[in-house]
Amino acid sequence: MVLVDAKVNYLKNPVGIDDDKLYFSWKIKSDNQNVMQKAYQLEIDGVYNSGKVESCESVFINFDAKDLKPQTRYTYSITVWDNYGESDKITSFFETGLKSYKNWKGTWIKKGFEGNNLASFRKEFILKKEIESARMYITALGIYKVMLNGEKVGDNFLAPGFNAVSEELLYQTYDVTSMLRDKNCVVVTLANGWTLGRIYHNQSGLTNPAFLSQIDITYKDGTKDFVSSDTSWTSYPSAWERADIYDGESYDASKENKDLYYYGNNSEDDVYAIKMIYPYMHIKSQTHEYIKKDKKVLPVELIKTPKGEDVIDFGQNLTGWVKFKVKGNKGDKVIYDHAEVLDKHGNFFIENMRSAKNLIEYTLSGEDCEEFEPSFSFQGFRYIRLLKFPGEINLNDFEAYLVHTDYEKTGYFECDNEYVNKLFQNVIWGQDDNFLDVPTDCPQRDERQGWTGDAQVFIKTAALNANVGAFFTKWLGQLAKEQRYDGLIHPVCPDVFLSENASSGWSDAICICPMEIYNAYGDTKILETLFTNMVKWVEYVRAQGDNEFLWNTGYHYGDWLSLDYLLDADSTDDKEAVKFGGTDKSLIATAFYANSAFIVSQSAKILGYTDKYIEYKNLYENIKKAYQKEFIKSDGTLISHTQTAYTLTIYFNLVDDLEPFGKNLKALIEKNGNKLSTGFLGAPYLTYALSKCGYTDLCYDLLLTEDFPSWIYPIKKGATTIWEHWDGIKENGDFWSEEMNSFNHYSYGSIVAWLYTNVAGIKYVEKGYKTFEISPQVNKKLNYVKSHYESMYGEISSSWNINGEKVDFKISVPCNTTCTFKYGDYKKAYQSGTYEITLDYIN
Ligand code: BGC
């Protein structure tokens, strides 16, 4: 037996962790079958020893870290004993950050000259003795890039990320020990980034990017030293002329004086930096994964479009940027913009980027070989259009990088239908493309916001594809911090619109997302931390209108972008009306209200808050009654005869007898030619609702439908990510619309959760798969399925293969978990190991 993957708050060996509570998790691997943990012991470097604890818990073991020293590396070890009498010990570490805002030694500084916000700041310093270690702590209003002695600090980008700056600003920690010399020079370059950029809609109230940093040095003899941001730093205009998340950037290499990155130089334009008054108290260490480069994508084709433009196709819609090499004369330019699609004539199409320019401009220095990639912006694209490029265009000089939050990938699905496989891959791309520090709606147009609706719709899929526990802990924490005094949850986080409205299905993310993170990872702390916010949200809804059990007032996005408005209307070109779908908004709102009340009751139960459990369980029951009274007609149909109305009613258990509602849902789909018509709020639950009513065969039909509207239709139209609209590109090649037409919106990708949980059958039951189920819904429309998921306990896998009238199943169960395998009448509990089971195929 061996222990692997020791983690603290989801992270391996985190450096700069300030949380008052630390949660330890580990995995057990063994060649034995049926391995369960009998006891564990957690020891932290002289400060804590749990002793041998008889327990099978191996995730989120809580330690009160309030009294830990700041800036200290703690080694910890975990020992585990299993039911075979074997034991193992794993040793790992974590390092605290500044722990308190009081430990910042420097001051906020901004540039000392007028004009362009893209300033560089410089400081030279000499080390007095031999060093043992050095850390750099830094945050910024805007985005920073740090160079230390000519080398970039950190392999991450776009820090400090997208924050709800008035509530919380994150700082990052870097181990810079090996980068320091006797004589040093540190250069920080700033850009507007999210906070001061167009994306923040001027709501941050700031005009100057600024930063706060310190390098803390420990010498070999134990003495300390530091270099912090203050007015002894100089500032000078950087070689960047322009940078904005939406608009791309402009860089003049001929203006870059590389000597300035090294000690002993100074710029002619040096002006001392100015101290800026800005708070420290809301600065917190970043404890989710940093933004990093993932895959490299090489161009597949250089296209001359009918308009005669030079376009490079990377073959994949992605988020990140292009890196290129170029040779030319000083002053020559490389200029290109980005697009997701070509129009039906094969021309470069950027209208759907709306006001986002996504324009990169590079002026050559004339050096032998020059290389550039953006530092202060990112683009969502498949194609670039070279508006200027000196010399011949050679595809070998271009490469694209996928850039996103560096979470661990955990899920895989494969079957014998190539379209379904492509759908799965497109969803993975869509997630990576949109999980860039916050979960965004899309990565390309002038939006890229943390829309709560999109995030809640997709979170189940997201948490299977990757470990997004730390990522959502950050985003949900900020969503909660931005909650209005009366409980209102804004529809985007960070709340860049300063909106005063909530929306059902969007704001409910405050309940849905923490519960999903708890279920996926066994993370009780997220429920504990956000419980009050969840309650406040439900109470906010309760206070709306004059019936406390209905939500029939206010503004709602409805079943966003569903197709059923068209079914009931004669025909309409009114895109505004179509957007909100055909399902009654009060029905949707009340359904989500019931679900949120239910989640609050369940959270209270998990947390042991008995009174609250009873209170919200009763509230849920009352909402359910009111729902039935208000929205079910005397003939038993719903007031909105739409797929989404039935789906929500079934999925959220709003009626006791599901059968007639299931029949209506099935009939509606059949009436629609066996096709879906759901929007953002119905689509994620449609197949779940059908499966629940026993109509799995119909789910397979929906999954495998190739023409519009379906999940496969966009693939047949060349999609490499998930589209915002079911018909972003119509049969005849026309666009749904020119300007509201993203080709990288993950919402409809939420079908992938159902592939894992129902087709492969991997379902959590308790505490992040401590107990789980494998109950595949096998159907001969596929011949085989293979799926695996790296849970907090280790790998779970499920595959099935149709073999005549038999089905061969293969499952694996990680140590310290219990799985119930179910197929038809067969039901058996399995503990760790790999098992093969052959059963009769059930039609
Ligand atoms: C976004 C959506 C979002 C919606 C609100 C759109 O502009 O792109 O994905 O949820 O607004 O309805």
Side-chain angles (χ1 to χ4, degrees), residues 374-476:
S375 296
F376 300 115
S377 63
F378 63 87
Q379 290 79 42
F381 66 103
R382 169 173 165 170
Y383 303 91
I384 59 168
R385 168 171 63 179
L386 290 159
L387 298 161
K388 275 199 177 153
F389 194 82
E392 209 178 302
I393 301 165
N394 183 345
L395 289 187
N396 293 332
D397 293 332
F398 296 84
E399 49 198 33
Y401 285 93
L402 167 67
V403 177
H404 64 97
T405 294
D406 184 32
Y407 46 53
E408 178 197 356
K409 307 269 173 90
T410 51
Y412 180 76
F413 181 91
E414 183 199 308
C415 64
D416 57 304
N417 182 301
E418 281 315 310
Y419 288 128
V420 175
N421 292 342
K422 181 70 181 153
L423 172 66
F424 177 78
Q425 291 304 333
N426 287 1
V427 171
I428 298 282
W429 274 100
Q431 174 166 347
D432 289 344
D433 291 340
N434 279 294
F435 276 41
L436 201 153
D437 213 45
V438 305
T440 57
D441 55 337
C442 57
Q444 74 299 74
R445 68 182 178 213
D446 54 359
E447 192 137 7
R448 313 185 200 187
Q449 300 292 353
W451 279 100
T452 46
D454 306 47
Q456 73 82 2
V457 157
F458 190 68
I459 190 170
K460 197 177 178 67
T461 296
L464 283 156
N465 288 336
N467 191 318
V468 291
F471 175 84
F472 270 101
T473 301
K474 176 253 178 171
W475 183 72
L476 290 170

Side-chain angles (χ1 to χ4, degrees), residues 761-774:
I762 303 172
K763 292 191 183 87
Y764 52 66
V765 173
E766 234 186 22
K767 284 193 192 157
Y769 301 86
K770 175 81 175 143
T771 55
F772 66 100
E773 211 177 275
I774 297 183

Side-chain angles (χ1 to χ4, degrees), residues 441-442 445 447 451 454 506 557 560 680 724 740 745:
D441 55 337
C442 57
R445 68 182 178 213
E447 192 137 7
W451 279 100
D454 306 47
W506 269 251
Y557 297 113
W560 189 246
F680 274 34
E724 179 175 27
M740 198 219 166
H745 250 66

Side-chain angles (χ1 to χ4, degrees), residues 256-272:
E256 179 83 273
N257 177 357
K258 291 202 178 121
D259 293 343
L260 293 177
Y261 291 124
Y262 301 92
Y263 184 90
N265 298 292
N266 64 294
S267 159
E268 286 163 16
D269 303 314
D270 271 358
V271 185
Y272 282 111

